[in-house]
mmCIF file of all heavy atoms in Angstrom:
data_model
loop_
_atom_site.group_PDB
_atom_site.id
_atom_site.type_symbol
_atom_site.label_atom_id
_atom_site.label_comp_id
_atom_site.label_asym_id
_atom_site.label_seq_id
_atom_site.Cartn_x
_atom_site.Cartn_y
_atom_site.Cartn_z
ATOM 1 N N LEU A 68 34.194 113.290 159.897
ATOM 2 C CA LEU A 68 33.601 113.765 158.655
ATOM 3 C C LEU A 68 33.377 115.268 158.635
ATOM 4 O O LEU A 68 32.901 115.813 157.636
ATOM 5 C CB LEU A 68 32.268 113.040 158.397
ATOM 6 C CG LEU A 68 32.346 111.553 158.149
ATOM 7 C CD1 LEU A 68 30.966 110.931 158.142
ATOM 8 C CD2 LEU A 68 33.068 111.279 156.818
ATOM 9 N N GLY A 69 33.663 115.920 159.739
ATOM 10 C CA GLY A 69 33.435 117.351 159.814
ATOM 11 C C GLY A 69 31.974 117.717 159.892
ATOM 12 O O GLY A 69 31.562 118.811 159.537
ATOM 13 N N ARG A 70 31.144 116.782 160.378
ATOM 14 C CA ARG A 70 29.693 116.986 160.474
ATOM 15 C C ARG A 70 29.315 117.327 161.904
ATOM 16 O O ARG A 70 29.097 116.461 162.746
ATOM 17 C CB ARG A 70 28.954 115.706 160.029
ATOM 18 C CG ARG A 70 29.133 115.346 158.565
ATOM 19 C CD ARG A 70 28.415 116.303 157.639
ATOM 20 N NE ARG A 70 27.030 116.515 157.938
ATOM 21 C CZ ARG A 70 26.036 115.832 157.391
ATOM 22 N NH1 ARG A 70 26.288 114.911 156.493
ATOM 23 N NH2 ARG A 70 24.799 116.105 157.738
ATOM 24 N N ASN A 71 29.253 118.597 162.181
ATOM 25 C CA ASN A 71 28.914 119.050 163.522
ATOM 26 C C ASN A 71 27.431 118.871 163.845
ATOM 27 O O ASN A 71 27.023 119.046 165.003
ATOM 28 C CB ASN A 71 29.309 120.524 163.693
ATOM 29 C CG ASN A 71 30.799 120.697 163.632
ATOM 30 O OD1 ASN A 71 31.556 119.839 164.075
ATOM 31 N ND2 ASN A 71 31.229 121.803 163.057
ATOM 32 N N ASP A 72 26.600 118.551 162.838
ATOM 33 C CA ASP A 72 25.188 118.336 163.067
ATOM 34 C C ASP A 72 24.832 116.892 163.384
ATOM 35 O O ASP A 72 23.676 116.542 163.595
ATOM 36 C CB ASP A 72 24.369 118.797 161.839
ATOM 37 C CG ASP A 72 24.747 118.021 160.585
ATOM 38 O OD1 ASP A 72 25.909 117.618 160.419
ATOM 39 O OD2 ASP A 72 23.828 117.826 159.769
ATOM 40 N N LEU A 73 25.856 116.026 163.445
ATOM 41 C CA LEU A 73 25.635 114.608 163.691
ATOM 42 C C LEU A 73 26.405 114.165 164.931
ATOM 43 O O LEU A 73 27.311 114.849 165.391
ATOM 44 C CB LEU A 73 26.141 113.764 162.521
ATOM 45 C CG LEU A 73 25.512 114.029 161.143
ATOM 46 C CD1 LEU A 73 26.200 113.185 160.100
ATOM 47 C CD2 LEU A 73 24.019 113.734 161.174
ATOM 48 N N GLY A 74 26.027 113.001 165.472
ATOM 49 C CA GLY A 74 26.815 112.368 166.516
ATOM 50 C C GLY A 74 26.388 112.665 167.924
ATOM 51 O O GLY A 74 26.970 112.124 168.870
ATOM 52 N N ARG A 75 25.387 113.480 168.124
ATOM 53 C CA ARG A 75 24.912 113.775 169.470
ATOM 54 C C ARG A 75 23.460 114.236 169.404
ATOM 55 O O ARG A 75 22.988 114.669 168.382
ATOM 56 C CB ARG A 75 25.770 114.798 170.177
ATOM 57 C CG ARG A 75 25.680 116.164 169.544
ATOM 58 C CD ARG A 75 26.608 117.159 170.205
ATOM 59 N NE ARG A 75 27.641 117.442 169.228
ATOM 60 C CZ ARG A 75 28.763 117.993 169.489
ATOM 61 N NH1 ARG A 75 29.051 118.291 170.742
ATOM 62 N NH2 ARG A 75 29.639 118.254 168.561
ATOM 63 N N ILE A 76 22.802 114.127 170.551
ATOM 64 C CA ILE A 76 21.414 114.577 170.641
ATOM 65 C C ILE A 76 21.465 115.960 171.280
ATOM 66 O O ILE A 76 21.827 116.109 172.455
ATOM 67 C CB ILE A 76 20.553 113.611 171.483
ATOM 68 C CG1 ILE A 76 20.550 112.240 170.827
ATOM 69 C CG2 ILE A 76 19.142 114.154 171.643
ATOM 70 C CD1 ILE A 76 19.921 111.160 171.665
ATOM 71 N N ALA A 77 21.174 116.998 170.492
ATOM 72 C CA ALA A 77 21.240 118.356 170.980
ATOM 73 C C ALA A 77 20.422 119.272 170.067
ATOM 74 O O ALA A 77 20.210 118.936 168.879
ATOM 75 C CB ALA A 77 22.680 118.840 171.054
ATOM 76 N N ARG A 78 20.025 120.401 170.576
ATOM 77 C CA ARG A 78 19.285 121.391 169.796
ATOM 78 C C ARG A 78 20.114 121.792 168.575
ATOM 79 O O ARG A 78 21.315 122.013 168.660
ATOM 80 C CB ARG A 78 19.017 122.620 170.630
ATOM 81 C CG ARG A 78 18.175 123.656 169.932
ATOM 82 C CD ARG A 78 17.895 124.834 170.831
ATOM 83 N NE ARG A 78 17.179 124.420 172.027
ATOM 84 C CZ ARG A 78 15.862 124.526 172.193
ATOM 85 N NH1 ARG A 78 15.133 125.081 171.238
ATOM 86 N NH2 ARG A 78 15.280 124.121 173.274
ATOM 87 N N GLY A 79 19.461 121.792 167.396
ATOM 88 C CA GLY A 79 20.138 122.184 166.176
ATOM 89 C C GLY A 79 20.843 121.030 165.453
ATOM 90 O O GLY A 79 21.401 121.204 164.390
#
Side-chain angles (χ1 to χ4, degrees):
L68 293 171
R70 294 290 307 266
N71 294 326
D72 61 327
L73 301 176
R75 67 183 111 197
I76 299 171
R78 184 178 300 261

